[in-house]
Amino acid sequence: MISVGTTAADVRTFHEDVIAECENGIPAGAYADADFAHYLFLSAGGASTLSRALHGERRLHAVSGLVPLFSWDEREMAQEWGVRFDALPDDRPFYAHDGAMSAARIVHGEGIMQFVVGPVHAGIIESGRFTFSSGGETIVHLDAQLGYAHRGIERALQGALPSQAAAKVARICGGCSASRSYAFALAIEALADVEPEPEIELVRLIVAELERVYNHLADLAASASGAGYAVGFARGMALKERAMRLCHAACGHRLLFDAIAPGGLGRPVLEDRVPFGAELAELERDVHLYLTALFGTASMMSRWERAGIVPYETAKAFGAVGPAYRASGGSTDIRTFIPYGAYRWLPPSVACGASADARARCEVKRDETVESFALIRRALHELSDASLPPQRPVEPRPGRALGVVEGPRGTELVAVHVDERGRIERIHVISASYRNWPIVARAMENNIVPDFPLVNKSFNLCYACADR
Amino acid sequence: MTMFRRSIGIRHLVCGSCNGCEHEMNALNNAFYDITQNGWDLVASPRHADVVTVTGPMTEAMRTAARATLEAVPRPKVVVAIGDCATGDGPWTGAPAGAGAGVELAADVMVRGCPPTPDDIRAGLARAAELLDS
Ligand code: SF4
């Protein structure tokens, strides 16, 4: 599944390798450890890594000048892992340094003004700083600076046993907890040569799709709110509440924390399937009614249309993933691209959009929500009243593995290095939000300031998993 | 009716939370919990607030903004720590993250849970309203 090529070749060869990998597959991100810089790529065959030795000097020629999506990754490698890059296009510290964020990138010019939003936002929203440069109402440039939720998680997890780390991995980011736990479990299970039973995989699929349902409902409600449509917001949030209660009915936790863990499940899940199935059916019916009404509201659709357009080339160059990529003409969905778990025999139909605007992103989420219910029903049917095997012990051998899943916002990747003692030597999280944030900034260019809430909410990205 | 005596304005402050606590804070506004029934409102500015809810272990980047936000709230004010991270019992408590936003900002009310349920949060806010009244 993983090929690790360590190359000591010169910059040119390495860059040629990177370009070749980008043509064969999708660049997924990069990270460093004590000795290497690792550049990750995904293709239908799985994941591959190009690793470069850092040697004593820890000096590399930046790749992000060539492939812009590596920009954040390389800034992070520079600040956190002491990699000294030559020709780094944006060489500002990625996280706060001595308690202060680096200066925002702003555009100067006649009639251009700047204004800052955050880090404390007006709503109940994670912390982040957005610096707008605008000419009148039109946004010329947006610099999204995150990092306010940087808790030093990756270092905090070093030395932990995977079994101890699981609960913490589930708490890196609340909104994509189940997806991250799933990716982490896949990586650890690959190193432990453990393959969970089909019943466990069916349950994991249900958990992962429940996460998609409650997230997409929240995103659609928020997108309605961003367009000023209060009814769409209120009804959507009420349905999201019901979805969270369904999560609680499934596993005893409203946000599905710890439901998925290495070796199986981390808490009892779907013990009582009859009431769950009944509530699921009722929620599915009401969600269908909501979606029909929401997308039938002409005044709101006209706000979503042509707002925050991300052309396919931009989406690809900056590394968009998930609904953000599929709304711009992409088609990659990890569930079918690199199938895992029960998706191997229960593949979803992949939702795509074409208009590349907020409307397309919402439509992709609408179609995915409908498909998630169908997947849950199919898995539940297949599961029937089968009893679930207990969690398997996992003892990973030393090595490196990647776990990759499709979360609500797209590709969720966890890279894990396990040492001789079976402990985590290095863990790196590349979240769908981390990949998509630079796209939000591009999406806002040439849009009007009042459309920021609805364009932003059509992505509705997390901060916590991007900041870690 | 004492718990409904005081209408409170609530300002939320995120100091390195995982966003799980924010999902539950947001639930307070949905049709099931609807705290406006209690005369409580989630306000956009600290200047309009009586109560500040804080989440997260506290991060280096948020420390200055968190103090500035708290200082902008007129007296009397009550600080409520929401969730294990903020109360100092969370997964990331300690270096390199902080000791808990509620611990660092001397919260008056501690609401445990990971995340606490909307009902737990509501109980914590009721306690905050009582403290403002006393
Ligand atoms: S207490 Fe739990 S849910 Fe709340 S921010 Fe911390 S980890 Fe997330």
Side-chain angles (χ1 to χ4, degrees), chain A residues 71-152:
Chain A
S71 171
W72 280 19
D73 310 67
E74 290 189 334
R75 285 171 63 191
E76 192 180 325
M77 286 153 84
Q79 189 177 1
E80 294 281 293
W81 290 87
V83 181
R84 294 161 59 216
F85 282 104
D86 294 323
L88 192 61
D90 183 352
D91 59 0
R92 295 173 298 165
F94 188 64
Y95 295 116
H97 186 65
D98 288 335
M101 272 293 160
S102 49
R105 284 249 160 114
I106 53 176
V107 173
H108 297 281
E110 204 185 316
I112 300 205
M113 59 168 186
Q114 292 84 29
F115 60 95
V116 183
V117 178
V120 179
H121 293 149
I124 299 176
I125 301 165
E126 295 175 82
S127 301
R129 186 170 76 179
F130 300 105
T131 305
F132 296 85
S133 301
S134 78
E137 283 287 37
T138 306
I139 294 167
V140 181
H141 183 71
L142 164 61
D143 191 7
Q145 289 175 290
L146 306 187
Y148 291 90
H150 181 53
R151 292 144 287 171

Side-chain angles (χ1 to χ4, degrees), chain A residues 171 257, chain B residues 16-22 55-56 82-86 91-92 113-116:
Chain A
R171 285 159 180 79
F257 287 9
Chain B
S17 143
C18 82
N19 203 26
C21 283
E22 280 60 42
T55 55
I82 306 287
D84 288 352
C85 284
W92 315 112
C114 183

Side-chain angles (χ1 to χ4, degrees), chain A residues 42-401:
Chain A
L42 303 177
S43 61
S48 60
T49 307
L50 278 182
S51 302
R52 283 205 86 188
L54 289 168
H55 304 299
E57 280 228 299
R58 301 185 77 75
R59 198 159 162 191
L60 284 186
H61 196 94
V63 177
S64 49
L66 210 61
V67 186
L69 78 82
F70 287 118
S71 171
W72 280 19
D73 310 67
E74 290 189 334
R75 285 171 63 191
E76 192 180 325
M77 286 153 84
Q79 189 177 1
E80 294 281 293
W81 290 87
V83 181
R84 294 161 59 216
F85 282 104
D86 294 323
L88 192 61
D90 183 352
D91 59 0
R92 295 173 298 165
F94 188 64
Y95 295 116
H97 186 65
D98 288 335
M101 272 293 160
S102 49
R105 284 249 160 114
I106 53 176
V107 173
H108 297 281
E110 204 185 316
I112 300 205
M113 59 168 186
Q114 292 84 29
F115 60 95
V116 183
V117 178
V120 179
H121 293 149
I124 299 176
I125 301 165
E126 295 175 82
S127 301
R129 186 170 76 179
F130 300 105
T131 305
F132 296 85
S133 301
S134 78
E137 283 287 37
T138 306
I139 294 167
V140 181
H141 183 71
L142 164 61
D143 191 7
Q145 289 175 290
L146 306 187
Y148 291 90
H150 181 53
R151 292 144 287 171
I153 279 166
E154 295 182 356
R155 295 222 187 248
L157 287 173
Q158 285 173 21
L161 285 170
S163 51
Q164 299 165 339
K168 295 195 173 200
V169 169
R171 285 159 180 79
I172 293 173
C173 183
C176 41
S177 168
S179 300
R180 185 144 307 100
S181 292
Y182 204 167
F184 179 65
L186 291 179
I188 296 299
E189 285 160 9
L191 287 175
D193 292 316
V194 164
E195 191 162 326
E197 298 78 359
E199 294 82 13
I200 295 294
E201 296 293 21
L202 287 167
V203 172
R204 287 174 166 192
L205 178 147
I206 293 171
V207 169
E209 294 307 319
L210 283 172
E211 182 168 80
R212 201 176 322 279
V213 166
Y214 91 71
N215 271 286
H216 281 3
L217 286 171
D219 292 2
L220 290 170
S223 299
S225 173
Y229 184 45
V231 178
F233 176 63
R235 284 187 67 192
M237 290 309 277
L239 289 168
K240 182 216 174 191
E241 172 67 25
R242 284 173 58 189
M244 287 176 78
R245 290 178 181 199
L246 193 62
C247 294
H248 188 269
C251 72
H253 196 286
R254 282 161 57 85
L255 293 162
L256 306 162
F257 287 9
D258 309 318
I260 298 174
L265 305 169
R267 50 165 74 229
V269 187
L270 288 174
E271 299 214 303
D272 208 353
R273 284 166 218 163
V274 177
F276 174 84
E279 182 52 40
L280 177 79
E282 255 188 63
L283 180 63
E284 182 176 10
R285 189 199 59 207
D286 291 347
V287 165
H288 277 264
L289 291 172
Y290 169 67
L291 294 175
T292 308
L294 185 68
F295 286 82
T297 305
S299 60
M300 203 198 55
M301 297 307 283
S302 72
R303 286 292 310 279
W304 284 356
E305 276 162 16
R306 292 180 302 282
I309 292 176
V310 182
Y312 176 71
E313 295 69 32
T314 308
K316 196 167 160 56
F318 287 91
V321 293
Y325 186 49
R326 295 191 286 277
S328 288
S331 62
T332 314
D333 181 321
I334 302 298
R335 292 175 295 173
T336 55
F337 191 60
I338 313 173
Y340 52 96
Y343 297 111
R344 284 172 294 182
W345 67 93
L346 288 179
S349 79
V350 175
C352 295
S355 53
D357 51 5
R359 175 184 179 151
R361 288 185 286 275
C362 289
E363 283 174 343
V364 167
K365 289 180 188 181
R366 171 195 64 189
D367 296 346
E368 287 188 1
T369 307
V370 170
E371 181 68 6
S372 288
F373 277 106
L375 279 170
I376 297 171
R377 266 192 283 109
R378 277 153 68 194
L380 210 53
H381 178 75
E382 205 176 302
L383 198 58
S384 183
D385 57 0
S387 59
L388 298 177
Q391 187 176 9
R392 304 253 295 265
V394 278
E395 278 160 24
R397 58 188 150 74
R400 295 199 273 133

Side-chain angles (χ1 to χ4, degrees), chain A residues 8-17 52 60-62 66 86:
Chain A
D10 63 15
V11 169
R12 190 188 306 258
T13 317
F14 184 67
H15 283 186
E16 279 168 5
D17 288 348
R52 283 205 86 188
L60 284 186
H61 196 94
L66 210 61
D86 294 323

Side-chain angles (χ1 to χ4, degrees), chain B residues 14-97:
Chain B
V14 186
C15 305
S17 143
C18 82
N19 203 26
C21 283
E22 280 60 42
H23 275 279
E24 297 300 32
M25 282 295 296
N26 271 311
L28 298 176
N29 254 347
N30 74 32
F32 289 77
Y33 299 99
D34 188 15
I35 56 163
T36 58
Q37 293 175 95
N38 301 19
W40 300 347
D41 197 10
L42 295 156
V43 297
S45 164
R47 303 264 186 234
H48 302 161
D50 311 288
V51 171
V52 181
T53 49
V54 297
T55 55
M58 183 57 82
T59 59
E60 189 192 337
M62 273 309 290
R63 216 164 252 131
T64 311
R67 295 212 178 274
T69 303
L70 216 58
E71 270 162 31
V73 177
R75 260 178 277 274
K77 57 186 154 195
V78 171
V79 179
V80 182
I82 306 287
D84 288 352
C85 284
T87 63
D89 308 283
W92 315 112
T93 308

